[in-house]
Amino acid sequence: RQSPIQHFKRIKSDLEMTKLDAQVEAVQRDNDSIILRIHDSVLFEAGKATLDPASYPILRKVADIIRPLPMTMRIEGH
């Protein structure tokens, strides 16, 4: 079983390989938590509260990166 540190390294590498590292930031908060921050400008048009359909391909790529990982995930937003 891989450690959270190995998962973090894999996520960072996958973000770089898919050229998402400029839009999605991976942060390791402690030894057990990994946070992915998607820049709001990627998800929303200025002044809008609904997802921009142009963000769907990026969200699909992020989902493809994290889906195979055997980790508990929590999605938050504001």
Side-chain angles (χ1 to χ4, degrees):
R1 180 181 161 149
Q2 290 185 329
S3 72
I5 292 170
Q6 290 168 313
H7 292 312
F8 177 73
K9 288 178 181 178
R10 178 177 172 186
I11 290 169
K12 292 278 284 184
S13 174
D14 287 351
L15 289 173
E16 290 170 6
M17 286 187 341
T18 56
K19 310 254 188 287
L20 290 177
D21 54 326
Q23 297 124 333
V24 182
E25 177 185 11
V27 178
Q28 189 165 13
R29 191 170 70 189
D30 53 39
N31 286 338
D32 295 324
S33 298
I34 299 168
I35 299 169
L36 296 181
R37 292 187 180 129
I38 302 173
H39 300 289
D40 60 345
S41 62
V42 171
L43 300 175
F44 303 100
E45 292 181 36
K48 303 284 183 174
T50 57
L51 282 176
D52 182 353
S55 70
Y56 296 168
I58 293 170
L59 292 173
R60 281 189 199 100
K61 287 180 183 178
V62 171
D64 289 343
I65 290 170
I66 61 175
R67 184 180 295 116
L69 298 175
M71 300 174 69
T72 302
M73 294 181 208
R74 183 176 73 209
I75 299 172
E76 298 179 358
H78 53 85

